[in-house]
Amino acid sequence: MDSSEKVAYLRGLMDGLKLEENDDTAKVLSKIIDVLGDLAEDIDQLSEFCDDLADQVDEIDQDLSIVEDDLYDDEDDFEEFDEDGEYYEVVCPKCGDEICVSEDVLLDGGVECPSCGENLEFDYSSLTAENINGEDDEE
């Protein structure tokens, strides 16, 4: 039994009491039941609104899932990023795709391109202190 049915039941009980319409008690009870009826209608409208809103959120979630699938073709290509670590964009010379790699991967010396499988190697042997600090090597 929903709220509206309960209010209708109360109205029937009040009518069954056969109170005189001019009686103060009957007037108060009638007004209370009217207010309860209005509240029951408001609750029904809110419930419908919440159901509609939940349906819309479900649709948005499904649409977002499709976008995520399109954006991130293969979940295996993406590792969980450590929020505290630094990441660098590296361009694969073979396919031209940009990939993000952590500092640890750079220090390891290489990584496989997730798009084409090319082995990307990082060689630091030609770096000097001046290159690292941003100074030009114009000697």
Side-chain angles (χ1 to χ4, degrees), residues 20-108:
E20 292 183 29
E21 290 183 28
N22 295 335
D23 185 32
D24 290 338
T25 305
K27 289 179 184 178
V28 169
L29 286 175
S30 179
K31 291 296 179 184
I32 290 173
I33 291 175
D34 288 344
V35 170
L36 289 173
D38 293 343
L39 290 173
E41 284 180 34
D42 291 345
I43 290 171
D44 289 342
Q45 288 175 353
L46 284 173
S47 179
E48 286 179 32
F49 177 75
C50 286
D51 290 343
D52 291 343
L53 190 59
D55 291 342
Q56 289 176 353
V57 169
D58 287 342
E59 288 177 23
I60 291 170
D61 185 46
Q62 290 173 355
D63 292 344
L64 181 59
S65 177
I66 292 169
V67 169
E68 286 174 339
D69 289 345
D70 289 345
L71 188 61
Y72 305 112
D73 289 337
D74 188 6
E75 292 178 10
D76 296 334
D77 292 348
F78 298 93
E79 296 179 15
E80 290 293 322
F81 288 131
D82 177 15
E83 293 178 11
D84 298 330
E86 288 192 48
Y87 293 89
Y88 303 92
E89 288 184 6
V90 177
V91 178
C92 176
K94 184 175 180 181
C95 68
D97 280 354
E98 287 184 6
I99 59 172
C100 291
V101 294
S102 69
E103 188 173 359
D104 293 338
V105 171
L106 288 176
L107 294 175
D108 286 343

